[in-house]
Amino acid sequence: MKADLHTHSNKSDGTDTPTELVHKAAALGLDMVALADHDSYAGLDEAAAAADIAGIGFLPSIEISCRYAGADVHLLGYRAGPDDDLDMELAKARQSRVERLPEMLRRLADAGMPITAEEVHRWARTSAAQGRPHVADAMVARGYVENRDQAFGDWLGDGRPGYVPRYTIDLSRAIRLVVQAGGRPVIAHPWARRTAAVLTPQVLGRLAESGLVGIEVDHPEHDREARIALRGLAGELGLLVTGSSDYHGLGKTNNALGCETTHPEVVEVLAQPLRGSR
Ligand code: AMP
Ligand code: ZN
Ligand code: FE
Ligand code: FE
């Protein structure tokens, strides 16, 4: 049993349609795939239908952009929603992505890289969560940068000249809301990028006590040492260990579909409906 439990479609910032994504997963011989688009459920119905036809398992999920101690932390919610409180937070997050766009474009123009909102919308056409990745795509199309990575590294990332903060949900509240929505909260790539400094073992311990059920350990952005340490920590704290690619189609290199997988026993727990909503 091979399961990749964290992927993105073009309903957020991946480049495959949900159907294409599921077909690729089936062609690779995966038995189960989870779609976890950023702050949106928009691709889930299509992906579930495609998985049904393709004969592979499907786990509905979502990746919620959260904030903890000033750092961006991503929370996966397996089988979460719909829930009024959670949905309101997600809508707020999506809205604030759109609202900060003019300021972001003003800053890029000041830096000699004019881009119109039209151009960004063209790249975000299919997405329910238009954001920095689509601004990055427009920058690539203009020839300002080589790829999304360079756009984030030089201009759009936290603290770079084009960075404009947006609304993000408090992590502890998001964990509570995922549980309230009948889902299972798992922290995505806890020690990738800038999050290792804030998600200390003590903090993860507190989150485990307040409803967190797992951490994503096998992720392309975690090196060997981080994986060993996180695995040990998960054992101590009674947290589930997941492994996933964080596949984004052409939107991210180094994240090939199925390159990381989750142990079947963990898949079974996460796939179990809590109250049969989805
Ligand atoms: P936003 O939600 O609009 O602030 O954009 C953040 C999203 O951009 C994250 O959730 C990631 O999926 C994506 N992202 C962050 N850094 C990079 C990067 N270096 N290359 C490609 N995508 C990235
Ligand atoms: Zn993404
Ligand atoms: Fe993420
Ligand atoms: Fe992701």
Side-chain angles (χ1 to χ4, degrees):
M1 140 73 112
K2 277 178 73 182
D4 186 343
L5 298 188
H6 178 173
T7 70
H8 296 266
S9 77
N10 67 359
K11 299 292 181 181
S12 65
D13 60 346
T15 55
D16 291 343
T17 66
T19 302
E20 285 164 352
L21 173 69
V22 166
H23 286 172
K24 286 181 186 178
L28 280 172
L30 294 180
D31 302 288
M32 162 85 84
V33 67
L35 178 64
D37 276 318
H38 298 285
D39 301 324
S40 167
Y41 304 120
L44 294 184
D45 289 347
E46 183 187 325
D52 230 20
I53 294 167
I56 74 167
F58 179 70
L59 184 55
S61 187
I62 189 164
E63 185 174 20
I64 306 172
S65 316
C66 304
R67 192 144 280 258
Y68 187 86
D72 282 318
V73 175
H74 289 175
L75 184 71
L76 295 160
Y78 291 102
R79 287 185 173 278
D83 170 87
D84 285 350
D85 295 329
L86 178 58
D87 294 354
M88 202 140 70
E89 288 284 5
L90 297 174
K92 225 159 125 181
R94 292 193 299 263
Q95 176 66 19
S96 99
R97 273 204 185 83
V98 177
E99 282 169 0
R100 79 179 161 176
L101 187 62
E103 173 62 20
M104 221 148 105
L105 296 184
R106 206 159 26 243
R107 290 181 183 211
L108 292 175
D110 285 348
M113 295 178 288
I115 295 169
T116 64
E118 274 293 287
E119 284 169 76
V120 177
H121 293 153
R122 211 174 302 148
W123 290 101
R125 198 174 40 84
T126 59
S127 178
Q130 310 191 359
R132 284 183 284 168
H134 308 104
V135 175
D137 291 342
M139 292 172 75
V140 174
R142 282 266 199 163
Y144 298 147
V145 290
E146 291 286 324
N147 48 43
R148 278 187 183 180
D149 264 346
Q150 198 192 344
F152 273 88
D154 292 351
W155 300 103
L156 305 177
D158 198 341
R160 307 307 298 163
Y163 179 73
V164 180
R166 67 172 175 86
Y167 177 75
T168 39
I169 309 169
D170 169 72
L171 177 63
S172 305
R173 174 162 163 76
I175 290 173
R176 279 199 305 277
L177 288 179
V178 166
V179 172
Q180 177 181 316
R184 291 191 169 85
V186 171
I187 293 189
H189 44 75
W191 286 359
R193 293 195 206 121
R194 307 156 83 96
T195 50
V198 300
L199 295 178
T200 61
Q202 289 80 353
V203 169
L204 290 172
R206 273 205 301 280
L207 296 173
E209 282 166 15
S210 66
L212 184 71
V213 307
I215 50 177
E216 194 176 59
V217 172
D218 293 312
H219 182 279
E221 286 182 51
H222 287 159
D223 61 20
R224 223 178 90 82
E225 288 75 52
R227 294 177 192 213
I228 291 169
L230 283 169
R231 221 178 223 97
L233 203 52
E236 281 169 38
L237 299 173
L239 290 168
L240 299 173
V241 165
T242 68
S244 306
S245 66
D246 205 356
Y247 173 73
H248 278 69
L250 303 173
K252 233 179 205 179
T253 48
N254 210 16
N255 300 68
L257 188 59
C259 69
E260 306 282 358
T261 54
T262 298
H263 195 282
E265 280 172 21
V266 175
V267 177
E268 201 175 314
V269 176
L270 293 174
Q272 205 72 46
L274 271 182
R275 51 165 207 210
S277 53
R278 273 183 193 274

